[in-house]
Amino acid sequence: MSVTSEEAAREALRQRQGAGARYDSPAAPARELAWARRGTAYFARKLNELTDAELYDPSLLPGWTRAHLVAHVGYNARALTRLVEWARTGVETPMYASTEQRNAEIERGATLPARALRNLFAHAEVHLNVEWRDLTDAGWDAQVRTAQGRLVPARETAWMRTREVWVHAVDLDNGGSFDDVPPDLLAELLADVQRSWARREERVGLTLAPTGGEPVVVGNGGPTVSGALPDLVRWLTGRGVRRLTSSDGEIPDIPRWF
């Protein structure tokens, strides 16, 4: 079997780091973990570009400051860590005690001093990475329950984190853009929106026509919405309409993502 340049680079890194370093298990979802880690670095960069005072200005999410957003992303890492711990130990540890507890946690987090908010984000993502790297091959397929009540294998946590960090980096509203998201990840986000609609049995009929790509028929089809893939994903994830056109002259209303 041929070895890719990425695999060769990983092996060279392991040789440099030595026997004491920790690595993901062979059964880990390598693609999704790479997306999550790259997205974490992207979110961190956009966060670090903000002054402490700017953290308390509005984000793109209605009713939330950037501090709310940073608290949410930090506490989300802790919640996903609990799911990975559940998969590793077999002891049930839910993401949140309740929706009310989750919301109260974010509201309290949004009042933290800027330094504490930055530390929350940094420390929580390191802890999550440690748990991911300690998870065995079997652990990645252990069943855990999401905050929405779905039973999923622990490998799903990598995708859940991917969505959080990339999309909320844009929500910080300081220059983050869907244009910065890797094209293969954009395609997966588009598919994720469709999966979410299907689980909720939403009745959606339209055709998506990404520039330079193959059309995507949703439901039984309908008006064709055309534009660059980043702009289509922005719209599908509820972040507004930019540079899109519709075959019937009006961009249709669509259900929420999740």
Side-chain angles (χ1 to χ4, degrees), residues 15-179:
Q15 292 295 325
R16 292 195 301 272
Q17 290 178 327
R22 295 157 110 159
Y23 304 103
D24 300 326
S25 83
R31 181 184 68 160
E32 287 77 9
L33 284 172
W35 281 340
R37 288 164 178 155
R38 185 173 171 184
T40 296
Y42 182 66
F43 187 97
R45 175 160 63 88
K46 303 314 295 180
L47 173 59
N48 289 338
E49 289 171 359
L50 293 167
T51 67
D52 288 353
E54 288 171 337
L55 285 177
Y56 303 95
D57 290 339
S59 73
L60 287 182
L61 296 183
W64 270 19
T65 65
R66 290 169 172 144
H68 283 91
L69 200 54
V70 177
H72 166 61
V73 171
Y75 289 130
N76 170 264
R78 289 187 175 176
L80 292 175
T81 296
R82 288 191 281 273
L83 292 189
V84 181
E85 289 172 339
W86 176 356
R88 178 173 56 80
T89 66
V91 177
E92 183 170 349
T93 49
M95 290 185 72
Y96 306 100
S98 65
T99 300
E100 292 74 21
Q101 176 265 325
R102 170 188 176 274
N103 294 341
E105 185 176 58
I106 293 170
E107 288 298 328
R108 286 195 303 272
T111 68
L112 290 172
R115 183 175 180 181
L117 270 174
R118 296 180 193 277
N119 286 340
L120 167 64
F121 169 76
H123 295 168
E125 68 96 356
V126 168
H127 189 186
L128 177 57
N129 253 307
V130 168
E131 287 296 330
W132 274 337
R133 287 194 165 120
D134 283 351
L135 204 55
T136 63
D137 286 2
W140 281 108
D141 290 317
Q143 295 287 297
V144 295
R145 192 179 302 278
T146 71
Q148 290 76 37
R150 291 192 303 125
L151 275 175
V152 299
R155 63 182 59 252
E156 185 79 5
T157 60
W159 173 243
M160 293 163 70
R161 188 59 177 170
T162 294
R163 295 183 309 200
E164 292 289 330
V165 289
W166 280 104
V167 175
H168 286 323
V170 175
D171 291 334
L172 284 173
D173 194 24
N174 66 318
S177 169
F178 282 90
D179 291 328

Side-chain angles (χ1 to χ4, degrees), residues 213-225:
E214 294 295 321
V216 177
V217 177
V218 181
N220 294 322
T224 298
V225 179

